[in-house]
Each structure stands twice: as structure tokens, then as C-alpha cells.
Amino acid sequence: MASAAIFSSLRRQRSPTLEAFLAPVDLTDVGLLQTLTALSSELISAYSGKRLPFYQRKNCKSLLRKIQVFSVLLECLLENNKNRSRGSSDLPFTAFLCFKELYLLLYRSKILLDYCSHSSKLWLLLQNHSISGHFHDLNQEISTLLDVFPLKDLKNLPEDVREQVELLKKQARKSQLFVDKHDEMLRLKMFSFLNEFENGGVPDYAQLYSFFVEKLGISNPRSCRVEIEFLEEQIVNHEGDIEPTSSVLNGFVALMRYCRFLLFGFEEDDMGLRLGKHKKLKRGLISKEIAETFISVPKDFCCPISLDLMRDPVIVATGQTYDRASISRWMEEGHCTCPKTGQLLDHTRLVPNRALRNLIMHWCAARKIPYDPLESGDPCIECFPSASPSRAALEANKATAALLIKQLENGTQIAKTIAAREIRLLAKTGKENRAYIAEAGAIPHLKNLLSSPDAVAQENSVTAMLNLSIFDKNKGRIIDEVGCLALIVGVLRFGHTTEARENAAATLFSLSAVHDYKRQIAKEDGAVEALAGLLREGSPRGKKDAVTALFNLSTHTDNCARMIECGAVTALVGALGSEGVAEEAAGALALIVRQQVGATAVGNEETAVAGLIAMMRCGTPRGKENAVAALLELCRGGGAAATERVLKAPSLASLLQTLLFTGTKRARRKAASLARVFQRCEHASVHYSGFGVGYAFSGNSAASRDSTFPSDVSVSMSISVPVL
């Protein structure tokens, strides 16, 4: 019977207490009776009268009546044992074992009753059959317990108590599964509303009001919010083996959200329109997808050209893989070589890399990172299985979005703030949600709230923009909306709250994923300056937002001069010593120093070389790779003074040697090339005179494959180069 304790752990907000699985082992007869009496009395008093759960009332009453009979029996036995001499007991050993089992049964009853009391009304209706089954399981356990209970061996037991136990035993044997017909009708009515959305219709207002307000007692915005949050929690904790499925639950969340605004308008629902409450809640509401954007992406999943996560990986003639958009742009610019290897392309045909694409999708799904693959003419691409929302959820969310956008257009200030918050929440997940919210015209109205004097309205609107921008087509809608980019930059510079400024930076990062928008963002007055300021003085999350946005902007060659002029280079150099952003800062600098003007600017920064050397010593593998690449480009384009500064850096030789053996493939190649650069400097022989001479790079070494230098140049350094 103890195995039945597992049932309550399936859909519970908290883990079960230890008492639900283990019977007490160190109690005497009297101690056990006292514990059981207290526990049964607690259950009876906690759920007497009007304290019963809203649903499963008959099953709860039936279970409590059985517990009452046990309570009477326990009180009589306890009284009899107290009247006997100390240390003696007339409780048979078999009865003692049965009472230990009763201890477990009472605790499982308590868990089930608590669960029914604290769950949402919609969830209880959805689980009507399952929860009824749990009550029936408890009845079966009671029957089994009473079958083996030695009632005849108990002495001095009042006859009326004995008769009650006997009657309970007979009733328990006859008990059958009971599913309340009224609850079941309500459950079916709920599904009928969902089916109406599924079929393209919209449920009638009067029917929704009658059902949710009059029958379920969901009578205000706050109770709607409680129902929504409870269902969303079940979706998050869903293990895949529980009914209903996540797509069905998403449908009911969408239905409840629609009813919240249709039935109760745009009243405040205590969710936190005041700034203090809103700040406390904010971290839970900010799009998880955006936060996960800053996860370290495996290098093989990034395009070698854009350094972004590949959406549509394709293979070129040399066998290298690139993102379709990046390599197509490369070819359109007139290049006929492979960007990574420098080899001449035999043809320009792009072959979809489906295996890599599926790996990327699995990786994103495991980390709950949104992955909206670009449309492709390849029919096989759409065969990849993915969880998609039901049509009912989509239609209900569309109906809700229409109500919200109407309020954004014509509502009061409070209504607009609530509408912006709800659009923000709707846009958290699913490209479908993001697509139709933008298509319905939300962006122009959200834009107007970006300049709102209300801090919460501004924060909700900029975060809604952030969430909407995850969908690629919405990036264009935001950029094309007149004045929208300038207002986002305005929030970044002068936002009322730290969260608003950070989310504005994250929005620029999201928008800058499109190559054509990087230059436009950098040219926007105050954008780069504000990002640089946030990188210098922001919170850890703000610095992360800023450095990733600056990294994206640095991938466009036309932005180099602008970033130097606006102080971004100085901020990036300073960030080399900041944990959490140093890797991206080194990556951005490695891109900037590829241009002569960028190399000169970085070379003029006093702490640049020291910061990059420190990154080579203590950074992540990718950070070390970025650092040695930046130093190599600095030597090539930064002039003699910069090269000498790099050359005289302490411990550089040992760091290069370590990288040559333990670094990534690219890091080893860059380290070998940097060693070759030193040999071309007139000071190399002086600085490295103590390292020994006579070693030359072999023809198949990393350095010999770097196209910058001819393969017949020998290097008289004792740094050995491994074969790649």
C-alpha cells in the first residue's frame, strides 16, 4: 500500500513530506496512538463545514467521514491504554502494524485534500477523472487495511465503536469510483469553448460570463490571474506523461487570458502596476528567451562570417558550412572564394546541412531558446518535429491581442499600461504570437509608450518590443516604423528604470542580428555612446546586454570609425577585466582591429595589450582565441609602437606555447601566425634571445596554412608547433 504514496507527487507544487513515505519506527503503542489521533483530528478540523475544496466535495466528504470513524476508534484505544499501568499495553502486534500503515494512509489523505484545496479551479476540472481515481485508491487502501485489522482481538472496545468500524469495513468493500457529474459537465463545457476557438469561432460573451463568473466563481481580474499562473506553472513542470498535453493547457491559458479582458475589462489586477511591485515581479516576466540569448553558443553552431547562431546552415563547394544569408551576401558582393579556407569555389550551389540544423534545433529546444528557422524551399526541413501551439490557443490569443491593441489605441493610461504588459507576456513565447501581434498593428502603439512619463508603461513597452523583435520579420517592422529606433535609443539613454535601459540595449542587440540594420543602429544619434556607457557603468546584466550589442555592431566594417568616435573601443578595452563580458569584448576588439583605423585606436589604449594578455592567461577557450586574434591583427595594422608593446608583454612566449598545444584550432593558428610576426620584427632576436634557436615551422603546421605569410619563412624560436 505504501507505493500509492507516489500518486500525489505527479501534479503538486511542493515535494511530498517524508512522512508520506515512511512510517514512524521509534514510537510506542501509546505514542503511535497519540500521533494518529492528533493527525486525524487535524484533518477533520481543517476541512470541516465550508472549508471543503470547491470541487471533489463529495469525494472529500466521504474520505473525511471514514477518517472520523478512525478518529473515534483511536480515541477509545488511547483512553484504554492510558488507564493501564505504565509500560503495558493490550494492543495486539497485528493492530500495531495496521496503525503504522494507517499513519501513511492519513498522510496521503492530507496531501490529496491539501492539493484539492490549493489547486486552481480550472486545473481541478481538467484533472477531474484523475483526482477521483486517487480518492478511489485511498478507499481501496482503507478496505484492505480493515480486512486485516484484528478488531475482534481488541479488548474493552465499546460496542457502538465496534459497530461503526464494522459498518465502515462493509462500506469500503462496496465503494466504487465516483466522478461527480456536475464537475464533469463543467469540464466538458470548458472543452466546448476551446473547440469553438479550434473551429475558428469566438465563444459568446454571455456564455463565458455565465460559466466563469456564475458557475466557477472567477469574479475578478485577480482570480483570473491566479488561474493563468497556476496553469502556466503546470506547463513548466510538465513531464510529458500527464494529461492534458501542454498544447491543450496552452489553449486554456489563452482562453482564460481572453476572458480576463473580455469579462473584466482593463481593471488593475494587483499584478503590480505600481513600480515597487512591478520591480519585484519583473525578473520572472522578462522573456526567458532573451536571457538565454546570452548563453555561450557552441562554435560549430555559429556562422564563420557573422559569428551568429546559424538559422539555415548550408554547405559550399569546399565542404565548409555557413549561414545561408551570410554566404549569399558574400557571393553577391563578387567573391568567388571560400571565406574560411580561401579556396576557389568550383560552383556556387548551396546544399542544406540538415544534420547540423537538426542538432542546432535540439540544442535550442533543450535550453528553451527560441529557434525560428528561416523559410526554405526544401520540403524536408519542415519534417523536423516540434511542439506547436494548438489552433485554439492561437485563435484565443489573436482575439486577446485584438482587445489589447484596441486599448493601446484608445484606452486610458492605466489600460494602455496593462495592455502593454499583456502584449509583453503574449510575445514571450512562440513565433506565431509574435507574428500576429505585430501584424495586428501593435508596434506603432507600443512605440508611443516608449516616451511615456509612466515608468511601468515605458518598461513594459520596450520589453514588449524586445520580445517581438525575436521574430525576424518583426525586426524589419520595428526598424521601418518611423521614429521607433530613435525612441528605443532614447529609452537606452534616458529610461526611467534600470530594467528599461537594459531591455532597450537588448532590443538593439536583437535588431542588430540583421546585417543591414547594424549600420543604421550605429548611425542613430547617441546609440553607440549609450551602449558604451552601459558597458562601463551598468549592472552585470546591463553590461552583458551592451557588450553583445556592441559585438554585433562591430561585425559591420562601416561601423568601426563610429565606434571609435563614440568611445566604444575604450569601453570594450575596459571590459576586458570584467567577468562575464570579457570574452565578447575581446571578440569585438578582434573585429575592430582588422581595420587600420581600428588597430590604431586599440593600439593607443594603454591597457589594451595588458587586458588581452590577461585574457590569454585566464580566459575561456573562446576568450583566449579572441584575445590572440586581436593581438595578431594589432601587430599587423597597429604600427611599430603597437607591435613593440605586444612584443614586450611579459610571459607572452609561454602563453603562445600553451595555446599552440591546448588552444582551439583557430587559437593555435593565430598563435603560430603571431609567432611568425615576431620574427619579422627587428626586436625579436633581442627579446627572445634566451629561448633558443633552430626551430622552423613544418610545412603542415598551423602557421603554414595561414594565408597571410608564405610557407617558406622559417622561425628561429623554440616554440614548437603541433600538427593540426
Side-chain angles (χ1 to χ4, degrees), residues 221-445:
R222 178 174 175 77
S223 58
C224 288
R225 179 63 55 190
V226 170
E227 295 289 330
I228 291 170
E229 290 177 351
F230 190 94
L231 292 180
E232 287 179 334
E233 185 176 353
Q234 306 313 307
I235 295 171
V236 171
N237 297 329
H238 210 275
E239 297 178 0
D241 58 347
I242 303 174
E243 291 294 334
T245 63
S246 294
S247 61
V248 174
L249 291 180
N250 275 317
F252 283 110
V253 169
L255 171 63
M256 196 69 247
R257 184 177 284 116
Y258 173 69
C259 291
R260 180 256 182 268
F261 295 104
L262 179 70
L263 302 180
F264 307 112
F266 286 76
E267 306 172 27
E268 185 174 349
D269 60 3
D270 297 334
M271 188 179 174
L273 289 183
R274 291 182 295 277
L275 188 59
K277 291 184 179 180
H278 183 72
K279 281 190 173 182
K280 183 177 180 181
L281 184 69
K282 191 260 172 198
R283 290 297 178 187
L285 294 180
I286 177 65
S287 171
K288 186 175 181 180
E289 297 90 330
I290 291 296
E292 296 290 356
T293 303
F294 307 125
I295 287 177
S296 181
V297 179
K299 182 180 177 182
D300 291 339
F301 292 174
C302 295
C303 175
I305 299 175
S306 68
L307 303 180
D308 292 330
L309 183 69
M310 286 188 278
R311 299 295 184 88
D312 188 8
V314 292
I315 303 172
V316 298
T318 59
Q320 299 294 328
T321 297
Y322 301 93
D323 198 26
R324 184 185 295 273
S326 298
I327 191 63
S328 297
R329 188 183 304 113
W330 171 268
M331 293 177 176
E332 289 169 2
E333 290 172 355
H335 300 286
C336 56
T337 58
C338 174
K340 194 171 184 180
T341 65
Q343 294 175 275
L344 189 67
L345 295 174
D346 294 335
H347 57 78
T348 58
R349 187 171 69 254
L350 303 178
V351 180
N353 191 336
R354 300 190 190 100
L356 179 58
R357 183 174 181 274
N358 286 351
L359 286 174
I360 295 173
M361 293 183 73
H362 278 299
W363 182 84
C364 291
R367 288 156 182 80
K368 295 183 171 59
I369 299 174
Y371 184 74
D372 296 334
L374 301 180
E375 296 296 328
S376 172
D378 185 357
C380 298
I381 288 181
E382 297 305 319
C383 296
F384 186 84
S386 61
S388 58
S390 65
R391 183 182 177 186
L394 292 175
E395 294 299 326
N397 282 333
K398 284 183 179 180
T400 304
L403 294 175
L404 298 174
I405 294 171
K406 185 176 180 180
Q407 288 299 316
L408 279 179
E409 184 177 5
N410 301 316
T412 64
Q413 183 58 45
I414 292 179
K416 289 180 179 180
T417 303
I418 293 175
R421 180 195 67 198
E422 292 301 321
I423 287 177
R424 163 189 181 173
L425 296 177
L426 267 182
K428 279 176 64 176
T429 55
K431 65 178 182 181
E432 295 87 356
N433 289 356
R434 298 177 188 122
Y436 64 66
I437 288 173
E439 289 169 0
I443 290 175
H445 302 301

Side-chain angles (χ1 to χ4, degrees), residues 11-44:
R11 305 178 189 87
R12 190 173 50 256
Q13 289 177 286
R14 298 184 179 88
S15 300
T17 57
L18 190 62
E19 292 85 348
F21 300 93
L22 300 176
V25 295
D26 57 349
L27 291 180
T28 63
D29 293 2
V30 174
L32 179 58
L33 290 173
Q34 288 175 334
T35 301
L36 291 172
T37 302
L39 181 56
S40 59
S41 299
E42 176 189 343
L43 284 174
I44 294 168

Side-chain angles (χ1 to χ4, degrees), residues 673-687:
S673 296
L674 184 55
R676 295 171 67 87
V677 171
F678 290 157
Q679 294 308 303
R680 297 166 64 90
C681 297
E682 58 182 355
H683 302 291
S685 60
V686 177
H687 188 68

Side-chain angles (χ1 to χ4, degrees), residues 138-151:
L138 286 174
N139 284 330
Q140 294 295 101
E141 290 196 37
I142 291 173
S143 177
T144 304
L145 178 65
L146 291 175
D147 282 341
V148 298
F149 185 73
L151 185 62

Side-chain angles (χ1 to χ4, degrees), residues 641-678:
T643 304
E644 183 176 1
R645 194 181 306 165
V646 174
L647 184 65
K648 292 182 178 180
S651 305
L652 181 59
S654 61
L655 291 173
L656 283 176
Q657 186 163 359
T658 300
L659 269 185
L660 285 169
F661 284 98
T662 64
T664 64
K665 186 176 180 180
R666 178 171 177 259
R668 283 181 280 163
R669 188 171 68 249
K670 296 296 182 182
S673 296
L674 184 55
R676 295 171 67 87
V677 171
F678 290 157

Side-chain angles (χ1 to χ4, degrees), residues 120-126 190 212 216 218 227 231 256:
S120 78
K121 296 176 180 179
L122 266 63
W123 180 251
L124 287 177
L125 286 178
L126 290 172
M190 279 175 55
F212 286 101
L216 300 192
I218 301 175
E227 295 289 330
L231 292 180
M256 196 69 247

Side-chain angles (χ1 to χ4, degrees), residues 3-111:
S3 62
I6 304 298
F7 79 85
S8 60
S9 67
L10 293 177
R11 305 178 189 87
R12 190 173 50 256
Q13 289 177 286
R14 298 184 179 88
S15 300
T17 57
L18 190 62
E19 292 85 348
F21 300 93
L22 300 176
V25 295
D26 57 349
L27 291 180
T28 63
D29 293 2
V30 174
L32 179 58
L33 290 173
Q34 288 175 334
T35 301
L36 291 172
T37 302
L39 181 56
S40 59
S41 299
E42 176 189 343
L43 284 174
I44 294 168
S45 62
Y47 295 101
S48 61
K50 296 182 179 179
R51 300 176 185 176
L52 284 172
F54 195 81
Y55 297 109
Q56 296 289 341
R57 295 179 72 88
K58 291 185 178 180
N59 278 325
C60 290
K61 286 181 179 180
S62 176
L63 179 59
L64 288 170
R65 282 195 297 268
K66 295 177 175 66
I67 295 174
Q68 282 178 323
V69 174
F70 280 117
S71 179
V72 172
L73 172 63
L74 292 167
E75 288 175 358
C76 290
L77 293 175
L78 183 60
E79 187 66 27
N80 291 341
N81 278 274
K82 284 183 177 179
N83 293 334
R84 298 181 64 83
S85 60
R86 186 174 183 181
S88 63
S89 172
D90 62 352
L91 192 65
F93 182 70
T94 305
F96 182 76
L97 293 179
C98 287
F99 283 137
K100 278 193 170 184
E101 193 64 37
L102 178 62
Y103 179 89
L104 297 176
L105 195 151
L106 289 177
Y107 256 101
R108 292 197 292 276
S109 300
K110 182 178 186 300
I111 290 173

